[in-house]
């Protein structure tokens, strides 16, 4: 590459570092390529050939999100190869809530200083997330912004597109009293509520690498950085076996904000709190912050990253199917008549 600019470098932007970062990330990107991916990284646009075999009325579904202040933990731990999984997860887990298969993903990294090895590490996580989701990483952007971001910091966001046959879009209006709510366990805090987590656990001054008894000897840093689970393949596999009525991605706002989005008016999700597999990290957060239990369920996923509603006569089959797909599903409760919302008992 002949392009270089000493004047731009003097202003804090090293364009040659950008070229090196692209070269370093190519091996990670190659792992994600699917049959539809047509373009090589480094072009002006990502190309994807849409295969509509077996889809009569294709509907494109898009999702975009970032990692949020969980990135602060990556900075403190100097570990950057997992937050990319979070970024992908936050997008594709939303897309699958419609029954859409993610097709491709693009990322955006803005940083104070482009350190090629760090950028490639971030992208390695993005690539791993794409592999887990079955989506191709067909492009992205790295913006070096000195004076805007601190030298050691960056932001990470992404965008994904999926496709579903209109006739197969999950129909929440088909939900009836007696339908069963199934929960899919989370891996931890995932990527929401970290402004509260960081304050309550005082991560800036705490030894993040020290073992914590309440976490079974794991460190606080590794527990909080555990990447968000990606549920795409489990939901795609389940919808081949049973009729899914609705799916909810439990993100910011916890149970009380997200589950109602997957319910029609006049239906309440009645969930037995004792059946929620609450993870130790949430008990620790609650104790340290003296946070009311309801607020915990209104902020965090509490151990459930996704909920699925199916009819009662298909619940056992759904549970067995999910187990065969490697999940550890939990029967959380049922749908009842009432105000659109959640009732924990």
């Amino acid at each position: 590459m002949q392009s270089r600019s000493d004047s731009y470098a003097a202003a804090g932007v090293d364009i040659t570092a950008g070229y090196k970062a692209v070269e370093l990330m190519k091996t990670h990107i190659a792992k994600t390529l699917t049959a539809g991916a047509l373009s090589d990284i480094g072009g002006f646009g990502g190309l994807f050939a849409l295969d509509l075999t077996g889809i009569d009325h294709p509907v494109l579904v898009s999702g975009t999100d970032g990692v949020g202040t969980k990135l602060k933990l990556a900075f403190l731990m100097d570990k950057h190869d997992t937050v990319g999984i979070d970024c992908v997860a936050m997008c594709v887990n939303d897309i699958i809530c419609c029954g859409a298969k993610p097709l491709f993903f693009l990322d955006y990294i803005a940083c104070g200083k482009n350190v090629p090895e760090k950028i490639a590490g971030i992208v390695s996580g993005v690539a791993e997330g794409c592999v887990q989701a079955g989506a191709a990483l067909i492009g992205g952007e790295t913006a070096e912004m000195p004076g805007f971001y601190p030298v050691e910091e960056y932001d990470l966001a992404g965008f994904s597109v999926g496709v579903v046959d209109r006739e197969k879009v999950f129909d929440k209006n088909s939900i009836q009293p007696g339908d069963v709510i199934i929960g899919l366990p989370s891996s931890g805090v995932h990527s929401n509520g970290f402004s509260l987590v960081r304050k309550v656990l005082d991560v800036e001054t705490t030894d993040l690498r020290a073992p914590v008894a309440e976490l079974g000897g794991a460190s606080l840093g590794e527990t909080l950085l555990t990447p968000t689970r990606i549920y795409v393949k489990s939901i795609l596999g389940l919808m081949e076996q049973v009729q899914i009525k609705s799916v909810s991605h439990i993100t910011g706002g916890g149970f009380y904000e997200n589950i109602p989005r997957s319910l029609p008016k006049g239906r309440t999700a009645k969930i037995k709190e004792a059946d929620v597999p609450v993870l130790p990290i949430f008990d620790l957060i609650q104790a340290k912050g003296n946070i009311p239990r309801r607020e915990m369920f209104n902020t965090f996923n509490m151990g459930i990253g996704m909920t699925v509603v199916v009819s009662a006569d298909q619940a056992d089959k759904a549970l067995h199917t999910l187990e065969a797909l490697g999940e550890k599903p939990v029967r959380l409760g049922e749908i009842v008549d009432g105000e659109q919302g959640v009732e924990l008992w």
Side-chain angles (χ1 to χ4, degrees):
M1 179 67 70
Q2 294 178 323
S3 176
R4 61 169 288 111
S5 171
D6 293 334
S7 298
Y8 211 2
V13 178
D14 183 357
I15 57 177
T16 60
Y19 303 142
K20 182 179 179 181
V22 170
E23 288 301 315
L24 290 175
M25 67 178 71
K26 281 184 175 180
T27 56
H28 303 300
I29 295 166
K31 298 186 300 182
T32 76
L33 298 183
T34 61
L38 301 181
S39 58
D40 292 328
I41 199 73
F44 288 99
L47 279 65
F48 192 91
L50 192 60
D51 182 0
L52 298 178
T53 304
I55 301 177
D56 295 326
H57 301 98
V59 176
L60 296 179
V61 182
S62 60
T64 185
D65 211 334
V67 182
T69 62
K70 183 174 184 175
L71 291 176
K72 286 287 189 179
L73 272 298
F75 305 156
L76 291 168
M77 293 287 288
D78 193 24
K79 181 174 174 56
H80 311 283
D81 60 350
T82 60
V83 289
I85 301 175
D86 292 292
C87 189
V88 175
M90 297 307 293
C91 298
V92 299
N93 282 346
D94 280 352
I95 286 175
I96 198 62
C97 287
C98 298
K101 173 181 170 55
L103 299 173
F104 57 81
F105 188 86
L106 291 89
D107 60 20
Y108 173 77
I109 305 169
C111 58
K113 181 176 176 59
N114 187 334
V115 179
E117 292 76 13
K118 179 185 286 188
I119 299 299
I122 297 168
V123 173
S124 73
V126 175
E128 173 58 27
C130 286
V131 169
Q132 292 182 24
L137 179 55
I138 63 171
E141 173 71 13
T142 302
E144 190 172 19
M145 301 169 65
F148 194 89
Y149 290 97
V151 170
E152 297 297 326
E153 297 191 2
Y154 57 86
D155 196 9
L156 173 62
F159 169 82
S160 188
V161 172
V163 66
V164 61
D165 195 317
R166 185 165 54 194
E167 302 304 315
K168 295 182 179 180
V169 175
F170 301 145
D171 180 13
K172 69 179 183 180
N173 291 314
S174 67
I175 291 176
Q176 297 295 326
D179 288 345
V180 173
I181 307 162
I182 296 172
L184 304 185
S186 70
S187 57
V189 184
H190 282 184
S191 300
N192 303 103
F194 271 85
S195 294
L196 178 58
V197 169
R198 288 167 40 239
K199 178 182 178 181
V200 167
L201 300 181
D202 194 18
V203 298
E204 299 286 346
T205 61
T206 298
D207 183 355
L208 296 176
R209 292 179 171 81
V212 179
E214 294 94 330
L215 301 177
S219 73
L220 186 60
E222 66 180 303
T223 300
L224 293 176
L225 272 184
T226 301
T228 306
R229 288 199 61 219
I230 292 175
Y231 300 96
V232 169
K233 293 180 180 178
S234 294
I235 297 298
L236 289 175
L238 180 63
M239 62 189 291
E240 292 180 358
Q241 301 297 321
V242 304
Q243 181 181 353
I244 298 174
K245 296 191 174 185
S246 76
V247 173
S248 179
H249 183 198
I250 312 301
T251 56
F255 280 43
Y256 287 104
E257 183 174 320
N258 291 289
I259 294 177
R261 295 165 63 185
S262 65
L263 302 176
K265 292 182 179 179
R267 299 288 183 262
T268 296
K270 188 174 182 180
I271 294 173
K272 188 176 181 180
E273 184 177 332
D275 289 338
V276 178
V278 177
L279 296 171
I281 184 61
F282 297 113
D283 290 328
L284 181 63
I285 293 168
Q286 182 177 4
K288 293 286 188 180
N290 193 27
I291 302 171
R293 196 66 165 175
R294 191 192 187 286
E295 289 189 18
M296 290 294 295
F297 276 93
N298 206 161
T299 305
F300 302 106
N301 67 63
M302 298 302 285
I304 293 293
M306 187 159 279
T307 60
V308 181
V309 176
V310 299
S311 62
D313 61 357
Q314 290 197 303
D316 287 342
K317 185 176 182 180
L319 289 165
H320 294 321
T321 299
L322 287 165
E323 288 170 354
L325 291 166
E327 292 286 348
K328 295 181 179 179
V330 180
R331 189 167 180 148
L332 293 176
E334 64 176 352
I335 301 297
V336 298
D337 283 323
E339 183 179 350
Q340 183 182 23
V342 176
E343 178 187 338
L344 286 176
W345 64 284

